[in-house]
């Protein structure tokens, strides 16, 4: 069974800035479950996953241009008065503001008029190459009612020892 559109897929994964910090990893949050082709995953990563099978592992790099294509990012019209008075606004200029929770938000001017300015919100990882590692743990094809997956790894020896009573039994009677 290989990954294709419409299937639910469970992955062990790691995503990090090339040569830098880990952005997301199953080591921290557990394996990820997603529907392939539903637009919930980076499109460039989905292309890398297409056709992989249970147990397959892959490492690679997603270029900055493929990771967050600028044209796919959301735009919004803002009142011109939200920008500094007298500023010469032009397409391509990048500004940073504070979001609702105080986090920095970067945006690029797409068009500037007398009353409104159209901006495109930039992803925090915009312009950065990403390294990825994935291992396919499960593929579920709901249409065919078929699921394949790897058996979970054995419990660590400490967990097994804790589950055994002093007399060597498992507590099951």
């Amino acid at each position: 069974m290989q990954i294709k559109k419409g299937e639910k897929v469970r992955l062990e994964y790691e995503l990090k800035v090339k040569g830098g910090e880990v952005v997301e990893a199953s080591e921290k949050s557990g394996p990820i479950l997603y529907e392939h082709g539903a637009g919930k995953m980076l499109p460039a990563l989905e292309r890398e996953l297409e056709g992989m099978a249970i147990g397959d592992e892959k490492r690679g790099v997603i270029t900055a241009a493929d990771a967050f294509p600028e044209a796919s990012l959301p735009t919004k019209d803002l009142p011109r008065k939200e920008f500094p008075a007298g500023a010469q606004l032009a397409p391509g200029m990048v500004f940073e503001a504070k979001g609702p929770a105080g986090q920095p938000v970067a945006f690029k001017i797409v068009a500037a008029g007398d009353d409104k300015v159209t901006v495109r919100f930039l992803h925090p990882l915009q312009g950065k190459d990403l390294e990825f590692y994935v291992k396919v743990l499960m593929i579920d094809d709901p249409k065919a009612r078929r699921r394949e997956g790897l058996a979970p790894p054995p419990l660590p020896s400490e967990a097994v020892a804790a589950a055994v009573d002093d007399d060597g039994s498992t507590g099951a009677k």
Side-chain angles (χ1 to χ4, degrees):
M1 193 170 196
Q2 295 181 317
I3 297 174
K4 62 183 182 293
K5 187 174 181 172
E7 293 177 333
K8 296 197 183 321
V9 180
R10 185 176 308 275
L11 300 172
E12 186 176 286
Y13 71 101
E14 181 179 84
L15 187 66
K16 66 182 190 174
V17 174
K18 187 173 181 183
E21 80 225 35
V22 173
V23 176
E24 289 184 38
S26 54
E27 186 175 281
K28 294 178 186 175
S29 57
I32 189 169
L33 178 66
Y34 79 101
E35 181 179 339
H36 194 75
K40 302 293 183 186
M41 179 81 68
L42 291 173
L45 183 55
E46 278 199 342
R47 287 191 298 276
E48 293 286 341
L49 296 169
E50 187 82 25
M52 290 180 70
I54 302 297
D56 285 355
E57 296 181 50
K58 188 182 246 187
R59 291 184 184 277
V61 175
I62 300 171
T63 65
D66 286 338
F68 301 101
E70 198 170 303
S72 70
L73 299 173
T75 61
K76 183 175 183 173
D77 290 335
L78 298 175
R80 172 64 176 84
K81 65 183 179 183
E82 295 288 325
F83 292 83
Q88 297 294 321
L89 302 179
M93 293 177 75
V94 176
F95 285 83
E96 192 170 286
K98 297 231 183 264
Q103 77 281 17
V105 176
F107 54 89
K108 183 185 256 186
I109 294 178
V110 176
D114 292 335
D115 297 327
K116 73 175 182 175
V117 178
T118 303
V119 300
R120 174 167 282 123
F121 290 96
L122 302 176
H123 191 279
L125 297 175
Q126 185 77 27
K128 297 179 181 176
D129 292 339
L130 302 175
E131 295 177 339
F132 70 90
Y133 160 78
V134 293
K135 180 177 181 179
V136 181
L137 302 177
M138 182 207 73
I139 301 173
D140 181 5
D141 184 346
K143 290 180 184 172
R145 294 184 176 187
R146 189 168 163 224
R147 176 184 288 177
E148 289 183 14
L150 295 176
L155 290 172
S157 58
E158 306 86 53
V160 173
V164 177
D165 293 337
D166 291 336
D167 64 1
S169 70
T170 61
K173 306 277 183 210

